[in-house]
Amino acid sequence: MRIAARASLIALLVLHVLAAMAGFVAPYDPTRQHRQHQWAPPTPLRIEGLRLVAYGRDDGGALTRYPVKLFPRGHDGRRLFGAGEPGKVFLMGTDGLGRDQFSRWIYGARTSLFSGLAAALLSAILGAGLGLAAGFYGGRADRLTMRAAELFLALPWMYLLLAMRAFFPLNADPRTLFLALLALLGAIGWARPARLVRGIVLSAKEREFVLAARGFGAPDSYLIWHHIAPATIPTLATYLSLAIPQYVLAEASLSFLGLGLGGSVPSWGSLLASLSQIEVLESYWWMTLPAAGFALVFGCYNELARGLRIGMPAP
Amino acid sequence: MNFFGLPARTTPAVFLTVVFVAAASQPVPATSGGRLVVAQRSEPKTLNPVFAIDEPSRAVTGLMGAPLVRLNPKSLATEGVLAESWKTSTDGREITVRLRRGLKFSDGSPLTAGDVLFTFDVHINPKTASPQRELLTVGGQPVQVALAGPDELRFTLAEPYALGEKMLAGISILPAKHLAEAYRGGRLAATWGLGTASAGIAGAGPFRLKSIQPGERIVLERNPHYSKRDPAGRPLPYLDEVEFVFAANEDAMTARFTAGEADLVAGFGPGSYSVLTRAGERMKHRVLDLGAGLDYTFLLFNLNPAPETAAAPRKWFQRQAFRQAISAAIDRQAIVKLVYRGRATPLWGHVTPARGHWMDESLPRPPGSASRSRELLRRAGFRWDSRGLLVDENAVAVEFTIVANAANPVYTQTAAIIEEDLKPLGIKVQVVPLEFRSLVDRVTNRRDFDAAVMALRPGEADPVADMNVLMSAGSTRLWNMSGKPVFAWEGEIDGLMRRQIGTTGAAQRKSDFDQVQRILAGQLPFIPLASPNVLVAAREALGNLRPGAIGHPVLWNADEIFWSHAGNQAPRP
């Protein structure tokens, strides 16, 4: 694998680990409103001697110097860093309700990244199974699967998701809703990987060593597991590296429209929603910082996909 | 009364104003000519004044039509438009109106008493389903209209009516020549849509239709037959044309204004206010904050009759102390500061300061207090478990959802502030942003919600605007849409509202309406939160601009607005 692809993989791993540990990494609860700090810009940090110091405004608005502490203990457990109260550290500024953008970004990464990952995995597993069966057995099963795939590819998935959101009871737990969203995203996305896998299977099952194995009396399950399925792995890996960011984007689109997981659960899409307002774009540049998350994730996955395409043998 | 974005209900388009801002410090001689471009958020749904209930439709039809009388927003007195004079009988049951002589519609055809009879026949006929019908029904009987002379009409009421001749203010007189056939054929609602040719539409207002580009713009031109003149005897209106351009949303509307594509915008939020104010420093325009308007946002509880099996929140909401506790916990000042950037007024009653003397100043205005809230909850039988969560007597944790319009951050942010305010009480609130139509459907039809952050805009300052919202039979009584009084206090409100509308004594009406406000402030079927200020931006060169916080903030005197050559903004060709 190319160096750039390896670096991307490491960056993605780090990002996912940070997201998984959001409760520790984020300095504040993502829903906490610091009402005296509405639209606060990122807190300037300086190194003074051997200490990291934050220059922020206190609740009265006066510019004050606070040392940044590592592993401070708050009322809800230890955090990675923070300034002792009344000091505040807003690495990415605050929004209109005074909520810390960095904390929301980290918590939002958990929602957005893992929804993309899980939905893409689900679609790949479903698609691989159906594509394998269709390609290997052919005939009516193949025709049926492929017609169904065409139907699913034509489905307006955004409307389906909106309908699903309306179908759920209002008081549905956000986690339940999140899982349902993942399931639906993954379930309706099986068609593309199924078509990819079917194409590879059609080619692989005609190869000489497969025909030879069949000639020696190998059962279908043996052929699939030992000869056909391994041939699909490089393609599926590339598919995943391209599909994950698309699913991240799908979740973000729903949240951007305000129809995601709900007001209090941050996601990258809901963080970007405020950018649709001219005032925010004009006056509060730090609100664009969460977009960097998308750029980073998309860039890394793209580089990873390139690395996989170059580094893996052709099927 | 209308939701934001929802069709307005039965209020007339009367224009009252309480807050005035003088547009020009020095009088500038009026000049004729030029085009005024007004940016609006959406295009009208209809050009038929009978069914123009949404704001964009009312803005356009308000310039094309004219009523018999209107309310002067400055003096709050009735002044004649098509009516030369009027007289109310001593028992308050008869109003005689004399029309001006020589009135004409914009197509040059004469406007006669027959057209007035036709207009009121249209509105009173239940088959028309006119939104004004309720206002023209007094003591359960529709107003009787008859000819009292060649140019005189008599309006007979079943009993004295608080509004008196003001009930005529929002009704544009229709040309029978153009509409009688459609009316008889039951096709009135489909007439004068956006596809109608300009020659097919006539009104007695200062402007008439010139052209329509659906989804883009509507151009109105000066009505050469308009009867009104300025004090110097010059014919009005001064402007040659008024053009409405439509933007997809508030930001697009603001962008059109700052790009110089529009001369006037109104009804935008505090975010756009700061953008426009900054732009005003380099462009020739002024941005005005007219103070509190009629709108009010509120937290609505679902008090619809609930079956025994209903979810717990519906049962908690039935308790007055619970509702009071929620109200006591909400920091209204924070809503004003964070959501409206200070350009709003915190509310403890649903009547806003813009409604002048109708607001009961004696209502208590306690600041948000968690301790008072805890006390109320304790008294209502709630307690706190070992984790600090509030639980009811059955040990069920108190949690409920608040639905809010996903498309408008004002509502979702307000809900988020309430969520945060209730956290220290151990109450878990889940904010659910919903697409607007879905939200309205849940609240008004399915009645399947716990609580909602919404807003209402009364059509006028008078308590008549609250009939729909507060009466049991009202179609917008959002907390309980059953059409019946369930609680004793609902019956009391019904009685007081009925009594104030049936009397012409101002003091009695004020007393009754104050009592209604006190009942609502105590019972809190909805918790009033804030009233956003009315914000307007206009080019500096516009003269006679007298924006007000009530009615259409700027276009209520569109016939008197003119382009000043003294300004840098030259009239458009």
Side-chain angles (χ1 to χ4, degrees):
Chain A
M1 207 189 291
R2 292 162 10 124
I3 292 176
R6 283 182 194 175
S8 297
L9 185 62
I10 292 167
L12 285 170
L13 282 173
V14 169
L15 196 57
H16 281 76
V17 169
L18 286 178
M21 297 169 66
F24 172 67
V25 177
Y28 302 105
D29 181 311
T31 62
R32 184 175 162 195
Q33 297 168 7
H34 307 271
R35 292 184 180 174
Q36 301 302 318
H37 300 271
Q38 182 187 22
W39 299 122
T43 308
L45 296 175
R46 283 185 199 158
I47 296 171
E48 293 182 0
L50 291 174
R51 305 188 75 176
L52 190 61
V53 175
Y55 282 82
R57 303 208 173 263
D58 61 19
D59 287 349
L63 191 64
T64 317
R65 176 180 169 278
Y66 300 102
V68 176
K69 296 174 184 167
L70 280 177
F71 312 116
R73 179 178 286 281
H75 68 279
D76 51 354
R78 278 199 190 279
R79 300 274 183 177
L80 178 62
F81 68 96
E85 289 290 336
K88 303 280 186 294
V89 185
F90 304 126
L91 288 186
M92 290 166 70
T94 64
D95 66 7
L97 294 179
R99 295 176 296 197
D100 178 36
Q101 280 288 91
F102 178 71
S103 300
R104 292 180 70 71
W105 185 74
I106 284 287
Y107 275 92
R110 196 157 69 175
T111 308
S112 298
L113 294 182
F114 289 105
S115 66
L117 196 63
L121 273 173
L122 182 64
S123 73
I125 291 167
L126 273 176
L130 289 165
L132 262 172
F136 189 80
Y137 293 108
R140 186 177 289 177
D142 184 28
R143 283 197 299 277
L144 257 176
T145 310
M146 288 304 104
R147 295 300 82 75
E150 282 158 14
L151 183 71
F152 270 74
L153 282 173
L155 275 180
W157 62 269
M158 181 59 97
Y159 292 103
L160 263 180
L161 293 176
L162 291 177
M164 188 208 79
R165 183 65 189 85
F167 175 75
F168 266 76
L170 288 181
N171 58 357
D173 180 58
R175 280 165 297 192
T176 314
L177 202 61
F178 180 59
L179 290 175
L181 191 77
L182 288 184
L184 192 73
L185 276 173
I188 59 180
W190 66 269
R192 206 172 296 276
R195 279 160 57 131
L196 285 172
V197 168
R198 172 184 172 268
I200 293 162
V201 173
L202 285 176
S203 153
K205 75 176 185 182
E206 299 301 330
R207 297 176 100 176
E208 287 173 357
F209 65 91
V210 178
L211 294 174
R214 193 188 286 278
F216 283 117
D220 288 353
S221 57
Y222 179 89
L223 292 176
I224 289 173
W225 286 115
H226 289 87
H227 295 306
I228 309 283
T232 66
I233 287 173
T235 305
L236 277 174
T238 310
Y239 162 78
L240 274 176
S241 60
L242 291 170
I244 290 170
Q246 286 176 15
Y247 281 105
V248 171
L249 198 60
E251 188 283 325
S253 303
L254 269 187
S255 298
F256 182 85
L257 295 171
L259 302 165
L261 298 184
S264 56
V265 183
S267 86
W268 283 2
S270 61
L271 289 185
L272 292 182
S274 63
L275 293 181
S276 61
Q277 298 163 41
I278 292 184
E279 185 214 7
V280 175
L281 276 175
E282 262 196 25
S283 311
Y284 313 117
W285 60 267
W286 54 92
M287 298 301 287
T288 60
L289 291 177
F294 280 107
L296 178 68
V297 168
F298 286 8
C300 287
Y301 272 114
N302 201 33
E303 197 52 51
L304 191 62
R306 281 179 62 189
L308 286 170
R309 274 202 306 271
I310 294 166
M312 287 197 174
Chain B
M1 188 67 75
N2 58 332
F3 299 111
F4 290 165
L6 248 195
R9 280 287 305 163
T10 60
T11 49
V14 291
F15 299 121
L16 294 171
T17 194
V18 169
V19 184
F20 268 91
V21 176
S25 52
Q26 291 181 338
V28 178
T31 52
S32 295
R35 174 191 290 186
L36 173 69
V37 183
V38 183
Q40 280 202 166
R41 249 184 280 192
S42 56
E43 69 177 334
K45 290 186 171 56
T46 178
L47 297 178
N48 188 332
V50 179
F51 302 101
I53 46 181
D54 57 298
E55 283 179 40
S57 301
R58 283 164 62 160
V60 177
T61 58
L63 299 190
M64 293 163 61
L68 292 173
V69 297
R70 75 172 182 186
L71 289 178
N72 183 309
K74 198 164 189 177
S75 63
L76 297 183
T78 313
E79 63 181 31
V81 181
L82 301 179
E84 187 180 82
S85 62
W86 58 92
K87 202 170 75 182
T88 307
S89 64
T90 45
D91 66 357
R93 294 184 54 231
E94 212 171 81
I95 303 163
T96 309
V97 176
R98 173 181 285 276
L99 291 178
R100 289 179 197 272
R101 287 178 186 275
L103 290 173
K104 284 182 180 173
F105 285 109
S106 54
D107 63 350
S109 61
L111 188 157
T112 65
D115 292 304
V116 180
L117 283 176
F118 170 73
T119 301
F120 283 90
D121 185 43
V122 164
H123 282 286
I124 287 166
N125 187 346
K127 285 185 187 161
T128 310
S130 160
Q132 307 285 3
R133 186 173 187 272
E134 211 167 306
L135 207 69
L136 296 172
T137 305
V138 182
Q141 300 290 318
V143 173
Q144 303 289 319
V145 192
L147 275 178
D151 290 326
E152 269 191 6
L153 294 122
R154 184 177 302 121
F155 295 81
T156 309
L157 320 176
E159 55 186 50
Y161 191 30
L163 276 185
E165 78 280 355
K166 290 174 189 165
M167 72 176 172
L168 311 174
I171 298 173
S172 291
I173 300 306
L174 308 169
K177 180 183 134 188
H178 286 267
L179 294 172
E181 199 183 319
Y183 174 54
R184 281 193 296 271
R187 291 175 280 105
L188 190 64
T191 313
W192 287 8
L194 294 188
T196 311
S198 57
I201 297 182
F207 296 92
R208 64 184 183 184
L209 182 65
K210 184 180 179 188
S211 63
I212 302 179
Q213 281 175 271
E216 261 187 59
R217 67 192 69 234
I218 289 180
V219 182
L220 306 182
E221 63 182 358
R222 177 206 304 266
N223 171 9
H225 305 288
Y226 188 54
S227 57
K228 218 172 143 189
R229 290 175 175 270
D230 72 3
R234 293 159 60 195
L236 292 175
Y238 294 121
L239 294 166
D240 282 340
E241 291 181 351
V242 175
E243 179 180 340
F244 290 89
V245 292
F246 310 118
N249 53 44
E250 183 184 318
D251 287 304
M253 189 171 83
T254 309
R256 292 198 89 146
F257 185 81
T258 51
E261 294 172 17
D263 307 310
L264 189 69
V265 279
F268 47 82
S272 299
Y273 182 89
S274 44
V275 171
L276 290 167
T277 306
R278 277 194 298 276
E281 290 161 11
R282 54 188 158 80
M283 297 174 74
K284 296 281 183 189
H285 72 247
R286 53 180 174 256
V287 191
L288 306 172
D289 180 344
L290 308 178
L294 296 176
D295 314 352
Y296 57 98
T297 53
F298 54 89
L299 176 68
L300 174 74
F301 294 113
N302 185 352
L303 297 183
N304 286 290
E308 277 303 304
T309 53
R314 301 275 293 272
K315 292 172 186 160
W316 303 324
F317 294 157
Q318 302 279 326
R319 304 181 203 178
Q320 181 189 5
F322 183 81
R323 301 193 298 268
Q324 288 176 333
I326 301 292
S327 176
I330 295 174
D331 184 354
R332 290 164 174 80
Q333 296 290 357
I335 292 173
V336 168
K337 175 178 176 269
L338 300 175
V339 178
Y340 296 101
R341 326 281 162 80
R343 300 200 178 279
T345 307
L347 290 180
W348 284 265
H350 79 288
V351 179
T352 69
R355 295 177 73 174
H357 74 285
W358 290 115
M359 182 179 178
D360 183 2
E361 297 282 355
S362 69
L363 284 184
R365 299 167 192 193
S369 161
S371 58
R372 170 158 167 70
S373 194
R374 280 176 182 274
E375 179 54 36
L376 284 162
L377 288 168
R378 212 171 278 126
R379 248 189 275 162
F382 294 90
R383 59 192 169 80
W384 285 266
D385 70 7
S386 55
R387 294 167 297 164
L389 298 178
L390 186 72
V391 293
D392 66 7
E393 49 281 282
N394 299 319
V396 176
V398 175
E399 53 182 76
F400 60 90
T401 57
I402 297 179
V403 291
N405 180 5
N408 193 332
V410 162
Y411 303 126
T412 48
Q413 287 177 357
T414 301
I417 287 176
I418 295 171
E419 177 188 7
E420 187 77 355
D421 284 341
L422 298 185
K423 251 185 213 168
L425 297 176
I427 299 174
K428 188 181 166 198
V429 169
Q430 191 183 329
V431 178
V432 183
L434 286 181
E435 194 270 328
F436 184 64
R437 276 170 299 187
S438 166
L439 186 151
V440 173
D441 181 53
R442 273 188 187 268
V443 172
T444 60
N445 297 328
R446 292 160 60 189
R447 302 168 201 173
D448 175 21
F449 69 105
D450 294 340
V453 170
M454 300 182 82
L456 283 171
R457 175 177 298 168
E460 56 180 297
D462 193 280
V464 72
D466 291 307
M467 296 296 284
N468 262 329
V469 178
L470 305 183
M471 296 278 288
S472 294
S475 51
T476 324
R477 193 180 69 163
L478 298 172
W479 74 79
N480 174 5
M481 303 281 288
S482 69
K484 295 174 199 154
V486 173
F487 302 97
W489 54 268
E490 289 178 322
E492 206 179 332
I493 288 176
D494 285 353
L496 287 162
M497 289 301 285
R498 217 174 283 123
R499 193 166 75 185
Q500 65 82 23
I501 199 74
T503 179
T504 50
Q508 179 65 51
R509 293 191 71 206
K510 165 75 176 150
S511 161
D512 286 346
F513 195 52
D514 280 355
Q515 180 63 16
V516 168
Q517 291 174 66
R518 283 193 289 273
I519 294 172
L520 284 170
Q523 293 295 339
L524 291 168
F526 57 91
I527 299 175
L529 301 170
S531 174
N533 291 0
V534 178
L535 307 172
V536 169
R539 301 280 167 228
E540 271 179 6
L542 280 173
N544 258 349
L545 209 61
R546 291 189 283 152
I550 301 177
H552 192 289
V554 181
L555 294 178
W556 68 271
N557 70 332
D559 54 352
E560 296 165 352
I561 293 173
F562 62 90
W563 279 113
S564 151
H565 289 291
N568 289 340
Q569 174 72 51
R572 288 158 203 266

